[in-house]
Amino acid sequence: MNVIRYTVNPRLPRSLQPLSELAHNLWVSWNYDAVALFTRLDYDTWIESRQNPVQTLAMVSQGRLKQLASDDSYRAALESVYENFKKYRDGETWYKGSSKDAVAYFSMEYGLDVSLPIYSGGLGMLSGDHMKTASDLGLPLVGVGLLYRQGYFQQYLNADGFQQESYPENDWYNMPVRRCRDKKGQDVKITVRIGASQVIARIWQVKVGRIALYLLDTNIEDNSEEQRTITASLYGGTRDTRIRQEILLGIGGIRALRALGINPAVTHMNEGHSAFLGIERIRELVEHERLTVHQAIEALKPTNIFTTHTPVPAGNERFAVDLINTYADSLIAGTGLTREQFMALGRENPSDHLEHFCMTVLALKLSAYNNGVSRLHGQISRRMWNAIWPGLPQHEVPISSVTNGVHVRTHVAQDIIDLLDRYFGPRFAHEPTNLEMWNRMDRITDEELWRAHERCKSRLVVFARERLQAQLEHRGVIGNHLSQAREALSPTTLTISFARRFATYKRGALLFRDSERLMKLFLDPERPIQLIFAGKAHPHDLPGKNLIKEIVHFANQPEVRSKIVFLENYDISIARYLVSGSDLWLNTPRRPLEASGTSGMKAAINGVLNCSVLDGWWAEAYTPEIGWAIGNGEEYEDAEMQDEIESKALYDLLEREIVPTFYTRGQDGLPRDWIALMKASMREIGQRFSSYRMLVEYAENFYFPALENYARIADDHYARARQVSAFLEHVQHNWGSVHVREVARPDTAGLHVGDTMTVDATVKLGALKPEDVEVELYYGKMSSRTEIINPQRSPMEAIDHLDGVWNYRGRISCDTAGRQGYTVRVIPRHTHLVHPFQPGLIAWA
C-alpha cells in the first residue's frame, strides 16, 4: 500500500504566532513564565502531551486558541515572555569572541527536557545542562547526537515488583525538533559507509536557546530495514548495533556539520562513544590538505577534547577484535592508516593483537585535552590509563578534571527561584557567571525559605500519591490497597529520597540491611521517616532488577505501606519533584565507583540536604556545615564488610543526627538548625557546583586554547602540524639511543633549609640536540617506600658535549626539611606540543 504522508500544523491566530517559535526552542524548558503560557492553553492537554509544547499546540482546539487570542491577559503574558526571549537571544553574552569556528560537542544522549526523550540518565542530563549553559554564556558551541525512534525504555513494575520494559515510538513531528532543509527545501542528508553498507542519515535541529543541537536519523526510506534500525533506540540492540551507532555519531556527525556549513574547528567528545570522529577528521586532513596520517594526527590532537565518565575499566566501551575488523576497512578508508595502526590507536598495549578495541583509549590517544568529571575521578582516571604513557608517573598522566555542575534555572523549583531572584537581585539572572551572588543566602529569612520548601514538599506528596495510585491501577490492584495510595506519605514527615539508576554498585537497598532498626525509624510515633525511591535498572541487569523488587516487597508490608513509595519510570519530570520536595537526598555508591553524580547537586541548590558516601562530587563538596557523610572515604576489598560497616554508619547518622536535627523545632515551629544547614548548602553548592563554573573551566582551560591551536595549526596549510609530525618522527626514530648515563652525587651533608644544591648529569642524546629535549631534575620528599611524593620539576642546562653525550647542570632549592631525593629524566620538547608527554618517550636515570 502506497501511503502519501503530510503534516497538518495548528492554525495560530496572528497574535499567538510567537507560541510556535517558543514551542520549538528549549529555552522554554528553563523559564517558568514560558512554561506557564502552554499550561494556560489547557492544563490537561499539557499533561497528556507529556509536557511537550509542540504537541500541546497541536492538540489544543482551534476554539481555545481563538478564545485566548482575544484574551488581553494572555496576550500580555505572551508578549512579555516573547520580549524576554528576544532579549536573551539577541543580547550580550559572557563570550565576546568570534563565532566563525565552532566547538562541536558530541554525546550519545541529551537530557534537555521531558518533551525530548533521547536520554537515559546522568550522562544525558550533564549533556543537556552543558548545552543550556553554553547558550547562556554565548559560546560558539554546537551539539551533535542521534535521533532515536524509541529513545530509552519506559519502565513499569509487574504485580511482583519486577521491572518490565516498553518501547513507545517517538512522534518527531510533534516534538521540539525540525528537519534541516537546504535552499531548495530538500532534506539535508549525509552518507556514511558502515562496513559493506552505505548508510544515509537525515539531520534534525533542536534549538537550545542561542545554540543548536543536530541529531542524525537513519529511519528513512533511503535505507534498508536493517540500516533504519541503527537509530532505533538508545543503548538498545546488539554489540553490532552499538558500533554502527558510534560510527554514525562520530563520522556522520562531522559530515553533518560540514553539510550544514558549520566548521567543527574543535571537537569535544563527551564519553568515548563518538571517538570515531577523530578518524574522520584524519581522513579530511589527508584528503583535502594532503597531509600524511601522522601529520593529520598531530594537527587534530591539539583541537580535540575528551571527557571520560567511567571509573572502572569494564565500564568503558570495548569491541571484540572480530567485530571491529568487520568495520575497520570502511573506517580507515582514505585516512592512510593501516589496519594495524588503526587497531593500535584503540589499545593500551599496541602490540597485544588479542586486546579488544577501546573507544576510551582511541579518544585519549587522539586528544591533547582529557579530563575526568570530579577531582577523585581525575585521580582514578590517571591511575586507570597510566599504561598508555609508560614510564610516566601517575600524577603527570595528561588527564585533568573538571567537576560536573548543574544548570540552576532548569533544576530549581519556581518557589525557590522566586526567592533567589527577589533577594539576590537582577544580577543573579543577568550575570550567570557571578557566582558570588550565592553569598546573599542569609538575606532570605528562615521563615520564607522554609515555607517555600514546604510548598515544594506538599507538591511532591500530591504527585507521589497520584503516581502511586496510577501504578497500582495499572497492575490491577483494587480495594483497600488502592485507597491507601491516596493517603501515602505525609507532608510533615522527614522525607528521604533515593533516585538514580539501579546498578548494584549504587546499593539502593543498603538502608534495608537491618530491618529492625529501619522499622523503628519508620514507626517512631514522634519522629518518623518516609522513603521515596525511583530509578531504572538496565534491561539486562538482573541484580539491579532484583534490588527494585526487594524494595517493593519491603514496602508492601502493612506497617510501612504508606511510608515507602517506589515511583516508576524515573525521568526529568519526576526528578524535578524529588530534588525540590525531599528533605534529604540519599546516595550510597560503593566508593570509588561514582565518577561524579549530579542529582545531589540539584537537590542541594533547592535546599535539600545530602547524606552520601564520600565518592564522586561529594568527596570534594562535603563539610559538616552542609550535610552528612557516610564513613570517611574508606575503600574496602571486602564488599560485604563495606556494606555492613556503612549501613551501620548510615543508621547511626539517621538516629543520632539527621532525625533529631529535623524534628527539633523552636516555639515558632521552625527547625532552625536544619534551615541553617539548608542555607549553607545552597550557598556552597550553588557557587562551587554550578554549570556556569563548569563551562567557564571548560572554556578557559580547553575550548579557547583549542580554538587558538586550530587557528595556528591551520595557518599556512598546516605548516606547524607538518613541523610537529616531522619532529616527533625524528625523535621517535632516535629515542632508543637516549639515556641518562650518570647523575652526580654531590655532598649532601650539612644541608639546611634555604641552601641550594647543584646537580650534574651526563646524558646521551645521540642524533638529537638539546633543543629537541627537556632534561629535568625531578625531586621532592621521599615516602617510606622510597618514592618521591609531590615532586617538583626543574629544567637542567646543557653545559658542553662530546660525540652526542652532553653534560647538564641543574639546581635544587632546599625549601623544606626532611628526607628527600632526586633523579633526572629526559622528555621531548617542541614549541607546538600542547604537553610534552608522548607515549613511550621518556628516559629516566
Side-chain angles (χ1 to χ4, degrees), residues 238 313 434 559 586 718 758 778 831:
T238 63
N434 185 358
E559 314 95 281
L586 182 63
Y718 290 86
T758 299
Y778 186 90
T831 305

Side-chain angles (χ1 to χ4, degrees), residues 621-634:
Y622 167 72
T623 65
E625 292 76 28
I626 67 170
W628 292 274
I630 303 168
N632 294 306
E634 302 89 350

Side-chain angles (χ1 to χ4, degrees), residues 306-543:
F306 169 58
T307 299
T308 175
H309 293 260
T310 312
V312 290
N316 289 269
E317 189 78 281
R318 297 176 190 270
F319 295 111
V321 175
D322 288 346
L323 180 57
I324 199 77
N325 277 336
T326 303
Y327 297 97
D329 289 342
S330 63
L331 280 163
I332 63 178
T335 64
L337 284 165
T338 66
R339 185 178 288 198
E340 291 72 22
Q341 289 172 325
F342 168 69
M343 296 297 286
L345 285 172
R347 288 172 168 155
E348 292 180 74
N349 180 1
S351 61
D352 181 357
H353 298 293
L354 298 179
E355 183 183 333
H356 286 197
F357 188 94
C358 180
M359 298 296 282
T360 300
V361 174
L362 177 63
L364 287 168
K365 287 187 176 181
L366 293 181
S367 302
Y369 303 100
N370 303 292
N371 71 282
V373 289
S374 68
R375 288 180 195 162
L376 179 59
H377 183 229
Q379 296 168 16
I380 292 166
S381 297
R382 288 189 286 275
R383 182 173 71 233
M384 276 177 58
W385 304 112
N386 203 159
I388 295 175
W389 292 270
L392 190 65
Q394 182 180 307
H395 75 278
E396 288 185 307
V397 169
I399 303 175
S400 62
S401 65
V402 177
T403 303
N404 286 343
V406 294
H407 187 256
V408 171
R409 290 187 180 268
T410 291
H411 303 293
V412 176
Q414 182 62 35
D415 294 272
I416 305 296
I417 279 288
D418 286 344
L419 274 182
L420 299 181
D421 282 338
R422 192 185 330 146
Y423 283 97
F424 289 7
R427 293 169 63 198
F428 181 58
H430 302 314
E431 299 177 19
T433 59
N434 185 358
L435 299 176
E436 292 183 1
M437 291 289 106
W438 287 94
N439 288 327
R440 298 180 175 184
M441 271 305 303
D442 288 334
R443 295 183 178 185
I444 302 174
T445 65
D446 289 358
E447 291 82 359
E448 285 183 287
L449 181 58
W450 187 248
R451 299 308 169 216
H453 175 67
E454 286 184 318
R455 289 192 295 274
C456 294
K457 188 172 177 180
S458 295
R459 275 194 290 273
L460 168 60
V461 169
V462 170
F463 172 79
R465 288 172 178 173
E466 291 174 350
R467 269 301 181 103
L468 182 59
Q469 187 174 342
Q471 291 170 192
L472 295 176
E473 288 174 350
H474 184 262
R475 292 182 216 162
V477 174
I478 58 174
N480 190 42
H481 284 287
L482 196 58
S483 63
Q484 286 181 349
R486 301 187 188 103
E487 299 176 359
L489 306 178
S490 163
T492 60
T493 297
L494 172 60
T495 302
I496 304 171
S497 289
F498 180 98
R500 54 197 21 90
R501 183 164 55 90
F502 265 81
T504 51
Y505 80 86
K506 293 179 183 283
R507 299 188 295 179
L510 187 68
L511 196 54
F512 295 85
R513 285 185 67 90
D514 189 334
S515 57
E516 185 176 339
R517 286 182 82 173
L518 183 57
M519 277 295 190
K520 286 181 180 178
L521 289 165
F522 280 128
L523 303 178
D524 187 319
E526 301 296 328
R527 304 188 303 185
I529 69 167
Q530 58 193 15
L531 294 173
I532 302 177
F533 287 88
K536 299 176 179 179
H538 189 278
H540 303 306
D541 183 3
L542 185 60

